[in-house]
Amino acid sequence: MLEIKDLHKRYQMGDVTVNALKGVNLTIEQGDFVAIMGPSGSGKSTLMHILGLLDAPTEGSYKVKGHEVSQMSEDELAVFRRDVIGFIFQQFNLLPRMDASENVALPLLYSEKRLDLEKSQSLLEKVGLGTRSHHRPSELSGGQQQRVAIARALVNNPLMILADEPTGNLDSQSEKEIIGILHDLNDQGITIVIVTHEEEVGQQAKRLIRMRDGVVQSDERRLPFKQNALEKQAAESKLSQIPLANVVQHFAQGIKTLAANKVRTALSVLGILIGVAAVVAMLAIGAGAQAAMQKELSSLGSNLLILRPGATRSSSGVRSDAGATSKLAQEDAADLKNNIANINNVVSTVNGRGQITFENKNWSTQILGTNPGYATMHASVPQAGRFFTDDENLSRSRVAVIGMTLVRELFDGKSPIGNMIKINKINFQVIGVLPTKGANGFRDQDDIVIVPLNAAMYRLLGKENVDTIEIEVSGPQFTSTAQDQILQRINTRRRVPEAQQEDAYQVRNMAEIQDALSSSTKIMSLLLSAIASISLVVGGIGIMNIMLVSVTERTREIGLRKAVGATRGDILIQFLVESIVVSMLGGVCGLALAWIVTTGLTYYANWPAQISLSSVVLSIVFSSGVGMIFGIYPARKASLLHPIEALRYD
Ligand code: ADP
């Protein structure tokens, strides 16, 4: 069954080479009960680890059931460890977070891809621990823990049990029980190889091998043994597939581990959560802004043209220092109205900011001065009160129409009509309240006071010129001709030199303005989400960090899992699943937070935000991707650990 020829094992410790095994020859038949004894340092454990496929020899041949071990792949070795050999350690090596029955069932996770707790219960009964199946290792005595470990070694019906000083940490009563169990198992046909210090234990074995200085010193047959034909094939075929059941099991295990480290898990989740929430909220605000803007602009219709001065340039295309910025005046508006065909209405506007005071309240807002025609052109006919008239404009009357934000901030939502407010310290009477428009992108459209153009120019803002002239044409079919005519008219009227005509004035229609605005909001929101996604990467690095700590902390656990038959793939999946669960959890919580934030913004600050389905999908995919990418390195690191080195790790 086991055949060893001229086996050597050397350990390199710095400059010193330790020859632990120096040419061991040994054959062990199926059904035998072999004890290996010898002084400390004689190479017994080293030999056992090689026999158990936990360690590889430096030189020589080792065959298990006719298979040359040095020619087996990592995964084939894992299958042999899982299906053929049961290993019992001096330190029991039970997983502390699992109860007895889960510990026993652990190897089944890698063979049957599920924790069959019924099977482990029946094995626990077999070793006399039927009533302790739900106790954790810390709640069991040493002898009981070793019996759990024996049950674990038996769970895959091995052909052979290797026990490395199984009673080394036990009292004599427990020792008797454990040795008794091993003898029973041998009676059932299982091959037993045991390393022991106890002469008495050695004497009970059917064959006693003594080692000294890395070689077999004596080999004594003490009792006859029953050769048997216990047969078992290592099920290599089970390996290649990763069935769904396997992933589900790893998922359940991953969640359990994460739940056992709540604070750590919560902190890693937090990293991803903030990233996802930021990205989703930014995209939502951007999308909302764009939608609101489009709605507003389209409500203005496609008949509106806006004329504004542009900076004049020299013929070389460089801004000229002569500084002749083109100007617009009310007379230009009148001229256009009288000379361009197919236009309904023309208004001029000036813009500025000002401090509004009512009683003891202050508010800084946008001041818009315009003609009365503005109200119909911009769907701004007051919902309460009225707009000012042409007469009031001409007489520079101090009357104002205010937006809802001002009503809320200065008048606590009460009707402001008839009250006197101060705009930049000048008294104005409120005569109307504008209809609510909500936010447009990052700007609150209700945060505005509209006053007559002349009052704004000469009383409030001290402007000689108007900022824009808005022209409403009678139908969309006239926009393009009107655009050309307006430009020509204003250039001629203002005697703009030919070379500068291209830049001196601009006439834009709504579609162009809409395009310009929405592309700038788009860029803005993409930029913000790009910045936000940096925090996702930071969150990913956080996960990687935690996973690396976790790999280091659980090195012994990884060693044990490998010793009971986990392949590299199993360990890789186990750790990957953990990091993906963390980051997906972060993704889902982040979405929830983004929803809360955007709903709050919409409700309290009137920012229209829209969480789109695509950003939801994107954030989930992205966050699990982050978990995957940043989990791969730690998971790979764990999967590459050598079983015996991992088990020795402190
Ligand atoms: P035993 O089990 O008989 O006490 P071991 O097999 O543990 O002996 O050790 C045999 C020799 O190999 C000892 O000299 C020991 O110091 C050395 N040795 C065992 N493991 C290692 C290791 N991982 N690195 C270096 N030397 C080791």
Side-chain angles (χ1 to χ4, degrees):
M1 166 134 183
L2 304 184
E3 203 181 345
I4 280 179
K5 279 204 188 113
D6 197 24
L7 196 83
H8 289 261
K9 177 72 187 180
R10 287 186 281 275
Y11 293 107
Q12 198 67 41
M13 294 180 66
D15 293 342
V16 188
T17 308
V18 180
N19 278 309
L21 297 177
K22 306 172 190 162
V24 177
N25 291 295
L26 188 65
T27 304
I28 295 175
E29 305 288 343
Q30 193 159 320
D32 209 349
F33 191 123
V34 183
I36 300 177
M37 298 193 70
S40 181
S42 57
K44 307 180 297 291
S45 294
T46 304
L47 180 64
M48 283 298 263
H49 292 150
I50 291 175
L51 289 180
L53 307 174
L54 299 175
D55 206 354
T58 318
E59 223 176 85
S61 152
Y62 172 32
K63 285 187 186 163
V64 183
K65 290 170 67 50
H67 298 266
E68 178 59 55
V69 168
S70 62
Q71 281 162 15
M72 283 158 78
S73 71
E74 273 276 336
D75 283 355
E76 283 169 325
L77 290 174
V79 170
F80 267 81
R81 286 196 288 265
R82 189 185 78 192
D83 290 349
V84 180
I85 299 168
F87 211 102
I88 299 169
F89 303 88
Q90 184 176 353
Q91 303 85 351
F92 325 131
N93 282 333
L94 301 178
L95 295 187
R97 279 192 303 267
M98 291 184 161
D99 67 21
S101 91
E102 287 168 325
N103 262 296
V104 171
L106 185 67
L108 293 176
L109 189 59
Y110 304 113
S111 54
E112 296 178 9
K113 312 298 180 196
R114 69 193 188 96
L115 288 178
D116 182 349
L117 296 180
E118 271 172 39
K119 191 162 183 186
S120 63
Q121 179 63 33
S122 76
L123 282 167
L124 281 171
E125 274 159 22
K126 202 164 158 183
V127 296
L129 281 180
T131 55
R132 299 297 175 102
S133 52
H134 296 301
H135 288 240
R136 293 204 172 183
S138 57
E139 297 157 357
L140 298 172
S141 73
Q144 289 170 331
Q145 289 188 54
Q146 195 59 299
R147 280 190 273 168
V148 173
I150 293 176
R152 179 179 63 194
L154 289 174
V155 78
N156 272 324
N157 305 315
L159 295 183
M160 168 170 60
I161 285 200
L162 303 179
D164 188 2
E165 306 236 22
T167 56
N169 285 354
L170 302 182
D171 57 278
S172 56
Q173 180 57 34
S174 303
E175 179 182 308
K176 268 204 193 98
E177 288 167 8
I178 297 295
I179 299 299
I181 293 174
L182 292 179
H183 277 285
D184 287 347
L185 293 173
N186 183 239
D187 291 343
Q188 290 159 32
I190 297 178
T191 314
I192 308 280
V193 182
I194 176 172
V195 164
T196 181
H197 263 116
E198 306 292 329
E199 199 58 43
E200 196 188 338
V201 173
Q203 299 301 335
Q204 291 171 32
K206 294 178 177 164
R207 178 179 172 192
L208 178 58
I209 293 172
R210 290 187 194 272
M211 290 187 72
R212 178 173 285 273
D213 291 339
V215 289
V216 174
Q217 191 186 28
S218 69
D219 187 346
E220 178 190 355
R221 162 74 48 209
R222 298 182 53 82
L223 295 166
F225 73 100
K226 249 198 327 240
Q227 265 237 331
N228 67 56
L230 210 59
E231 215 14 273
K232 184 157 198 228
Q233 232 31 71
E236 279 150 73
S237 57
K238 280 191 198 163
L239 253 187
S240 49
Q241 343 133 4
I242 303 173
L244 191 65
N246 196 11
V247 175
V248 170
Q249 261 311 325
H250 281 302
F251 217 78
Q253 292 258 312
I255 287 172
K256 236 177 154 177
T257 319
L258 295 174
N261 288 302
K262 288 194 188 64
V263 175
R264 184 191 288 188
T265 306
L267 287 175
S268 341
V269 165
L270 195 64
I272 296 292
L273 184 155
I274 291 171
V276 168
V279 172
V280 174
M282 285 306 152
L283 287 175
I285 289 169
Q290 212 165 324
M293 196 160 54
Q294 261 158 14
K295 193 167 141 226
E296 187 218 344
L297 293 178
S298 59
S299 77
L300 294 177
S302 47
N303 301 347
L304 195 65
L305 298 175
I306 295 181
L307 167 65
R308 57 176 93 236
T312 49
R313 288 163 195 261
S314 70
S315 49
S316 64
V318 179
R319 258 168 217 270
S320 78
D321 310 322
T325 337
S326 37
K327 295 184 171 105
L328 283 175
Q330 294 196 53
E331 293 73 36
D332 295 314
D335 177 72
L336 291 174
K337 182 158 192 179
N338 295 330
N339 292 290
I340 307 284
N342 301 317
I343 56 179
N344 280 349
N345 212 344
V346 178
V347 299
S348 307
T349 68
V350 287
N351 274 288
R353 287 202 72 81
Q355 195 72 25
I356 317 291
T357 324
F358 174 69
E359 292 175 349
N360 56 353
K361 293 193 177 120
N362 255 307
W363 188 251
S364 163
T365 189
Q366 181 200 354
I367 300 171
L368 174 70
T370 188
N371 304 98
Y374 182 93
T376 44
M377 277 166 79
H378 281 264
S380 293
V381 177
Q383 55 176 12
R386 62 180 182 86
F387 216 76
F388 43 79
T389 61
D390 271 324
D391 286 345
E392 281 167 325
N393 180 27
L394 290 174
S395 62
R396 305 180 186 180
S397 289
R398 292 175 310 205
V399 289
V401 185
I402 62 176
M404 265 321 278
T405 303
L406 273 75
V407 175
R408 207 171 47 236
E409 297 297 336
L410 297 175
F411 295 93
D412 293 328
K414 293 195 209 62
S415 169
I417 302 200
N419 282 306
M420 299 301 282
I421 53 174
K422 281 193 163 67
I423 308 179
N424 288 353
K425 302 210 173 98
I426 301 167
N427 275 320
F428 275 74
Q429 186 177 28
V430 180
I431 57 167
V433 177
L434 293 164
T436 311
K437 295 205 165 173
N440 162 4
F442 301 97
R443 189 172 69 85
D444 175 8
Q445 299 181 89
D446 300 320
D447 190 2
I448 190 170
V449 54
I450 303 183
V451 298
L453 179 68
N454 286 312
M457 287 172 72
Y458 305 113
R459 289 186 193 275
L460 282 177
L461 304 173
K463 288 191 176 183
E464 290 292 320
N465 297 292
V466 302
D467 297 331
T468 66
I469 293 176
E470 300 187 3
I471 304 108
E472 191 182 52
V473 295
S474 356
Q477 67 275 30
F478 304 119
T479 36
S480 126
T481 19
Q483 256 174 307
D484 293 343
Q485 287 174 352
I486 291 165
L487 258 187
Q488 208 174 3
R489 180 92 201 157
I490 190 77
N491 279 325
T492 318
R493 204 181 127 78
R494 287 279 176 172
R495 296 197 185 87
V496 180
E498 188 101 17
Q500 294 174 4
Q501 287 195 356
E502 208 182 310
D503 294 318
Y505 292 96
Q506 295 175 338
V507 186
R508 290 279 179 81
N509 63 39
M510 275 298 132
E512 289 164 351
I513 292 173
Q514 194 161 330
D515 280 354
L517 280 179
S518 62
S519 73
S520 67
T521 1
K522 222 180 225 161
I523 289 172
M524 182 80 169
S525 88
L526 277 182
L527 198 75
L528 287 174
S529 4
I531 295 172
S533 58
I534 292 175
S535 59
L536 255 184
V537 174
V538 175
I541 294 173
I543 289 193
M544 176 146 82
N545 201 357
I546 295 290
M547 292 307 294
L548 280 174
V549 170
S550 165
V551 168
T552 312
E553 201 183 73
R554 287 153 69 192
T555 302
R556 281 176 67 96
E557 173 189 329
I558 295 165
L560 176 84
R561 285 177 184 268
K562 287 198 147 189
V564 299
T567 59
R568 277 186 187 170
D570 288 321
I571 301 292
L572 192 80
I573 292 177
Q574 183 194 340
F575 280 86
L576 260 190
V577 161
E578 276 179 36
S579 79
I580 292 175
V581 166
V582 166
S583 61
M584 275 181 61
L585 207 63
V588 172
C589 297
L591 262 183
L593 181 65
W595 183 82
I596 293 171
V597 167
T598 50
T599 315
L601 278 178
T602 312
Y603 190 76
Y604 290 107
N606 259 331
W607 282 23
Q610 291 177 351
I611 297 187
S612 64
L613 185 67
S614 62
S615 69
V616 172
V617 174
L618 194 81
S619 63
I620 296 292
V621 170
F622 206 74
S623 62
S624 44
V626 163
M628 181 112 163
I629 289 166
F630 288 98
I632 276 182
Y633 173 63
R636 209 180 110 78
K637 192 174 162 192
S639 75
L640 290 180
L641 285 174
H642 202 270
I644 194 65
E645 278 158 23
L647 273 172
R648 280 202 200 107
Y649 185 88
D650 281 315

